[in-house]
Amino acid sequence: MKYAIITGASKGLGEAIAKRLINEQLAIVSVSRTENEDLKKLAQEKGTYYRHFECNLSLEKEVQEVFMEIAHYIFLKEPAEILLFNNAGAIEPIETVGNLDLTPTVRNFKVNVIAPMMITNLFFKEAELTSTKIKVINVTSGAAERPIEGWSVYCSSKAAINMFTQTAALEQREKNMSNKIIAFSPGIMDTNMQETIRSSSKEAFKDLEQFKDYKEKGMLRPAHVVANALIDLILSGDVESGKVYNVNDLLK
């Protein structure tokens, strides 16, 4: 059996990924601060395995404890493959440098960088002792590749996860491991993160009106469209480890 572990599965892209994979009959492990009851119900209807773990990804000790429990449980099942979606992310603080608050800045890096690093490290380590293949999907952003005023923290954290992805892929190849790790840029979607962006101030975020226009003009993709493009890629088996994939290329 194949297992999929999805952080931030309670809403947005994570929820859409989980729904698609439940329909594909994969065993689902949802990780977020709150449980999505619709996912639980859908899994019951489809007769697929589903389990939720509560975890605050900004707390390193909690991340370590929860994912050690998840890894111990799943590896005992000796699955053929584990898909690990490091999907949960934080956009805040949206603010210019010189006005940044420490707490949300540190939290951003803990959620966007430290947690995915810790989780990937744990599963790659466990995989070395088994025949289970690991495929890691780190959700990134186009902001990793270009500076956006007011998003210095978010741009930096996503640039960091891209470099981590590329480096980890290189190391796995050097070890002759069959594990793969990619990054996926989902573009602009109609999610809660976009609501957070639109609620920021013009002083903190220069491009505020542009992002409001995305919503008003119907330019935000539904999360399920983006999720389907990603899952089609993953299930195709044609994945290049270390590559940063962009949803725009997958939907051409």
Side-chain angles (χ1 to χ4, degrees):
M1 179 178 285
K2 290 185 179 182
Y3 278 77
I5 304 167
I6 308 161
T7 67
S10 62
K11 56 190 176 183
L13 179 61
E15 177 186 14
I17 290 170
K19 285 182 175 178
R20 168 68 188 275
L21 291 178
I22 288 172
N23 284 315
E24 295 286 346
Q25 296 291 300
L26 267 73
I28 302 296
V29 174
S30 159
V31 183
S32 57
R33 284 178 294 178
T34 57
E35 184 171 12
N36 184 318
E37 292 296 331
D38 288 341
L39 292 180
K40 186 176 181 179
K41 183 179 178 182
L42 179 62
Q44 290 173 342
E45 291 173 354
K46 298 293 182 179
T48 58
Y49 176 88
Y50 166 87
R51 184 173 176 184
H52 173 75
F53 287 83
E54 183 178 333
C55 184
N56 184 337
L57 294 172
S58 67
L59 304 175
E60 306 97 299
K61 187 172 183 292
E62 191 169 317
V63 171
Q64 189 73 8
E65 291 175 350
V66 169
F67 278 89
M68 282 183 70
E69 181 182 353
I70 292 172
H72 177 72
Y73 176 80
I74 292 181
F75 279 103
L76 281 177
K77 304 289 185 181
E78 299 182 348
E81 185 176 39
I82 297 173
L83 304 180
L84 173 57
F85 293 86
N86 287 313
N87 162 73
I91 180 74
E92 297 175 301
I94 299 175
E95 188 53 89
T96 56
V97 177
N99 296 302
L100 295 171
D101 287 334
L102 176 62
T103 299
T105 298
V106 172
R107 181 182 181 276
N108 183 293
F109 265 76
K110 286 183 174 181
V111 173
N112 291 354
V113 185
I114 303 301
M117 282 182 169
M118 291 173 62
I119 297 164
T120 303
N121 179 66
L122 174 62
F123 276 79
F124 276 1
K125 183 178 181 179
E126 291 292 327
E128 289 186 4
L129 306 173
T130 72
S131 59
T132 298
K133 295 179 181 178
I134 309 295
K135 194 172 288 177
V136 178
I137 301 92
N138 290 322
V139 175
T140 184
S141 169
E145 300 174 356
R146 65 186 180 94
I148 300 172
E149 292 183 44
W151 286 15
S152 62
V153 179
Y154 184 68
C155 290
S156 300
S157 65
K158 290 303 185 181
I161 205 63
N162 280 7
M163 185 54 69
F164 172 74
T165 299
Q166 293 164 5
T167 306
L170 178 64
E171 293 168 349
Q172 289 295 297
R173 282 195 293 270
E174 286 296 313
K175 291 182 177 181
N176 291 317
M177 299 294 291
S178 57
N179 303 319
K180 293 187 176 182
I181 178 170
I182 66 167
F184 172 68
S185 180
I188 51 174
M189 296 178 292
D190 198 3
T191 63
N192 288 354
M193 185 176 285
Q194 286 290 323
E195 293 178 12
T196 301
I197 293 169
R198 292 193 300 271
S199 66
S200 60
S201 69
K202 182 72 173 178
E203 293 75 26
F205 182 43
K206 183 180 178 181
D207 297 332
L208 178 61
E209 294 305 318
Q210 180 182 348
F211 275 74
K212 287 183 176 179
D213 283 346
Y214 289 153
K215 177 66 172 178
E216 293 170 4
K217 295 178 180 179
M219 297 172 67
L220 299 175
R221 286 194 182 101
H224 74 270
V225 172
V226 178
N228 284 337
L230 172 59
I231 301 306
D232 286 345
L233 169 68
I234 299 303
L235 297 183
S236 73
D238 187 22
V239 174
E240 181 184 339
S241 192
K243 184 172 179 177
V244 179
Y245 287 87
N246 191 300
V247 69
N248 294 330
D249 296 327
L250 299 180
L251 290 174
K252 283 181 179 179

